[in-house]
Amino acid sequence: MNYKRGIDIPTATAINNEVKNLLEMFEFYLTERQLGKAVEDLAIAVRDMRIIIQRLLLDYFINLSPDEESRFCTALASLLASRSIKIPNAAKEDRKYFDYCIGEILTCFQWAQEIKAQFPEDNQTQRTLLLDIPILRPFDYGRRSKIRIVKHKKTKYKGQRAS
C-alpha cells in the first residue's frame, strides 16, 4: 500500500497518479472559480474531473475490496479537503461551496460502492452500471449570486418607425 501525507491510498502507483490528477484538477477548478472565471471556462475543468473520476471508477475502484473502498473514500475526502484549504481569500460561503464540491465527487464513489454491493459477482454488470453514474451531473458552479441580468437595450434601425 502506498502512503501519501500519512493517508493510506490502496493499490499501486497508477491509482495514486490518477488521484493526484483529480486533486490537481480540483484545486485548479477552485482557484479558477475564485478568480471569477466564466462558467464556460469552469465547465472545461469540471469535464476533465468527470473524465478522471470515470477512469478511477472503471480502472481501479471496481477492483477494490469493500474495506479498501472505504479507506479510499476516506483518504480521498481528506485529500480533497486539504486541497480546498489551500485556496486563498475564501469566504465562509466559499468554504461551504468547497464542501459541496467534495460531496459531489464522493457521491460518485458511494454510488459505485452500492453498485458493487448489489452485483458482487458480476463484474460486467458493475462496469456497465458504473458507466451510467451521472458524474458531477447536475453540477452547481456556485455562481447564482454573482450572475447579473442585463436588459436588452432596444435600438432604432434605419427605416424603423418610432412607436
Side-chain angles (χ1 to χ4, degrees), residues 4 8-9 23 31-32 37 59 97 107 109 132 139 142 162:
K4 185 171 186 152
D8 179 19
I9 294 205
L23 295 172
T31 301
E32 294 292 291
K37 298 290 176 136
D59 295 344
Y97 178 75
T107 296
F109 293 95
D132 285 340
F139 189 76

Side-chain angles (χ1 to χ4, degrees), residues 2-10 15-28 30 56 70-87 95 98-99 101-103 105-106:
N2 295 317
Y3 293 90
K4 185 171 186 152
R5 296 185 207 173
I7 297 172
D8 179 19
I9 294 205
I15 193 172
N16 286 338
N17 288 337
E18 285 294 347
V19 169
K20 182 180 175 191
N21 288 340
L22 178 60
L23 295 172
E24 288 174 356
M25 187 53 61
F26 176 70
E27 186 175 352
F28 175 77
L30 295 180
L56 276 167
S70 181
R71 285 196 313 269
F72 175 86
C73 289
T74 301
L76 182 60
S78 179
L79 291 169
L80 289 167
S82 70
R83 288 293 179 116
S84 72
I85 291 171
K86 291 181 179 182
I87 306 302
R95 296 287 172 207
F98 298 167
D99 290 343
C101 292
I102 292 169
I105 291 170
L106 293 175

Side-chain angles (χ1 to χ4, degrees), residues 107-124:
T107 296
C108 302
F109 293 95
Q110 291 167 345
W111 285 341
Q113 285 177 301
E114 289 178 23
I115 290 168
K116 288 178 64 179
Q118 191 173 5
F119 302 97
E121 301 299 321
D122 190 351
N123 193 271
Q124 190 60 42

